[in-house]
Amino acid sequence: MDRDQDDCRARFQRWIEPLLEQAGAYAYSIVGNPPDAEDSVQEALWKGYRGMSGYDSSRPFKGWWFAILRNCCLDLLQSRSRQPRVLSEEEVGHRMACTNPQTEALRDSMASLAEPYREILRLRYFGGCSYRDLAESLSIPVGTVMSRLHAARQALAAEFAKE
Amino acid sequence: MGSIDPSELSASLDGELPAEACDRVRAALAADDSLRKQYEQLMALDAKWRSAASGAQFRPNVQLENPKSRIVPIAVLGCALLVVRLAIKAPPPAIGAAIDCVLLTLMVSWGFGRILRFAESDREQVRFSPQTGSVV
């Protein structure tokens, strides 16, 4: 049983490792700052590892884990709304230094869209998800991914055209 | 847009269409200038958004701890010391006291570790004082 647990852990680490940077970007697109994004990814790591027994290996792992990550990000946003994080001046300065204007403009434009469009665009652009991953993460068929992503892009293009 | 579904333009851009559908899209683009222009606009916006999103990429400093990697050698050491302690009927006082101290330290550390792991599920929010920059 210990060997099974070690195998499971090694497998989980192998699958997670190439996803970490995209996970960081995706979490950032939701929570809006690197420290909270890091916290969300860490929480999702633990939850994903503990939930491995419930993962069906025939389904896309990235889509499965990013659904967990999204929930962790949303939970953190809820907790921040109840108890805001108070930052030191150094953290504020560091956060401002890390802010990319184009990235923030994209985040702001996405934030003004309807939730289904916002979610699929975040997963696609920040998370780098394929259509299969999108279908798994959002629990929708691939055909719906196609039509929703196209509609979301048109909505985002309209937002950008306003600027 | 001819014979193709509008969403197939996006899917073609993303490389997510099966070969047959790709051929249909390619043929439609070759035959329809306005469709090709729409596709090029979509391509340009997609490149812009991907570039903007890439600015958010960073590698979070996270870890998946394996408690066993630390606990097993500590447990082996603890057991070995306990066996030695019990085996030596009348150890010199200094050695006996040293072994007792190490055993006590291992037990207390293990106990704290269990408490901390339990408490991690209810992590407190970190709060800093903006004035002093220290944890409140």
Side-chain angles (χ1 to χ4, degrees), chain A residues 2 5 9 12 17 20-21 24 38 42-43 45 80 84 86 103 106 124-125 131 149-150 153 156-157 160, chain B residues 6 10-11 14 16 45-46 49 52-53 55 58-66 68 123 125 127-128:
Chain A
D2 286 349
Q5 283 180 346
R9 181 183 139 76
F12 183 75
E17 183 64 33
L20 284 177
E21 287 187 1
E38 201 166 81
Q42 180 69 79
E43 190 71 25
L45 261 187
R80 289 279 180 254
V86 180
T103 308
L106 181 62
R124 177 71 193 169
Y125 285 102
Y131 281 25
L149 184 57
H150 182 70
R153 277 171 164 155
L156 185 60
F160 262 72
Chain B
S10 272
D14 295 332
E16 294 272 1
L45 281 172
D46 179 68
W49 295 333
F58 76 103
R59 188 177 175 82
N61 183 18
V62 293
Q63 51 192 337
L64 185 61
E65 288 185 356
N66 183 3
K68 280 189 198 171
R123 275 177 296 166
Q125 301 295 329
R127 295 182 69 87
F128 290 91

Side-chain angles (χ1 to χ4, degrees), chain A residues 1-3 5-6 9 12-13 17 20-25 28-29 33-35 37-39 41-43 45-46 49 79-80 83-89 91 98 100 102-103 106 110 121 124-126 129-132 143 146-147 149-150 152-154 156-157 160, chain B residues 1 5-18 21 38 41-43 45-69 72 117 120-136:
Chain A
M1 191 164 164
D2 286 349
R3 184 175 290 181
Q5 283 180 346
D6 286 342
R9 181 183 139 76
F12 183 75
Q13 274 190 310
E17 183 64 33
L20 284 177
E21 287 187 1
Q22 287 173 332
Y28 175 84
S29 74
N33 67 87
E38 201 166 81
D39 284 350
V41 173
Q42 180 69 79
E43 190 71 25
L45 261 187
W46 288 330
Y49 177 60
S79 72
R80 289 279 180 254
Q83 199 173 359
R85 181 178 184 140
V86 180
L87 302 174
S88 65
E89 288 180 14
E91 268 202 332
C98 290
N100 180 314
Q102 284 80 26
T103 308
L106 181 62
M110 283 184 182
L121 288 170
R124 177 71 193 169
Y125 285 102
F126 287 96
C129 289
S130 68
Y131 281 25
R132 273 194 77 212
M146 260 177 65
S147 54
L149 184 57
H150 182 70
R153 277 171 164 155
Q154 289 184 314
L156 185 60
F160 262 72
Chain B
M1 278 200 180
D5 188 284
S7 62
E8 286 182 314
L9 271 188
S10 272
S12 172
L13 179 69
D14 295 332
E16 294 272 1
L17 278 185
Q38 284 179 37
Q41 285 173 346
L42 184 62
M43 205 159 60
L45 281 172
D46 179 68
K48 180 178 173 181
W49 295 333
R50 278 190 286 114
S51 171
S54 69
Q57 277 207 358
F58 76 103
R59 188 177 175 82
N61 183 18
V62 293
Q63 51 192 337
L64 185 61
E65 288 185 356
N66 183 3
K68 280 189 198 171
S69 65
V72 168
R117 253 196 297 283
E120 269 173 0
S121 59
D122 287 318
R123 275 177 296 166
E124 286 182 349
Q125 301 295 329
V126 176
R127 295 182 69 87
F128 290 91
S129 158
Q131 284 76 37
T132 64
S134 58
V135 175
V136 173

Side-chain angles (χ1 to χ4, degrees), chain A residues 8-153:
Chain A
C8 180
R9 181 183 139 76
R11 193 165 64 239
F12 183 75
Q13 274 190 310
R14 219 170 34 243
W15 290 345
I16 280 290
E17 183 64 33
L19 303 179
L20 284 177
E21 287 187 1
Q22 287 173 332
Y26 175 59
Y28 175 84
S29 74
I30 298 175
V31 301
N33 67 87
D36 285 349
E38 201 166 81
D39 284 350
S40 303
V41 173
Q42 180 69 79
E43 190 71 25
L45 261 187
W46 288 330
K47 286 188 173 173
Y49 177 60
R50 287 198 297 268
M52 274 291 275
S53 55
Y55 167 65
D56 177 0
S57 57
S58 65
R59 292 155 61 190
F61 177 78
K62 182 174 178 178
W64 174 79
W65 186 58
F66 269 49
I68 295 174
L69 176 57
R70 180 172 66 252
N71 289 335
C72 290
C73 292
L74 296 177
D75 288 345
L76 187 134
L77 281 180
Q78 268 196 334
S79 72
R80 289 279 180 254
S81 68
R82 289 192 299 267
Q83 199 173 359
R85 181 178 184 140
V86 180
L87 302 174
S88 65
E89 288 180 14
E90 188 184 332
E91 268 202 332
V92 169
H94 181 254
R95 186 185 293 189
M96 285 173 64
C98 290
T99 301
N100 180 314
Q102 284 80 26
T103 308
E104 291 308 304
L106 181 62
R107 279 192 67 241
D108 290 342
S109 297
M110 283 184 182
S112 62
L113 300 177
E115 194 192 327
Y117 292 169
R118 191 167 65 226
E119 280 310 310
I120 200 167
L121 288 170
R122 279 175 176 159
L123 282 165
R124 177 71 193 169
Y125 285 102
F126 287 96
C129 289
S130 68
Y131 281 25
R132 273 194 77 212
D133 293 329
L134 290 170
E136 176 66 26
S137 183
L138 299 171
S139 301
I140 55 177
V142 173
T144 306
V145 167
M146 260 177 65
S147 54
R148 189 180 294 182
L149 184 57
H150 182 70
R153 277 171 164 155

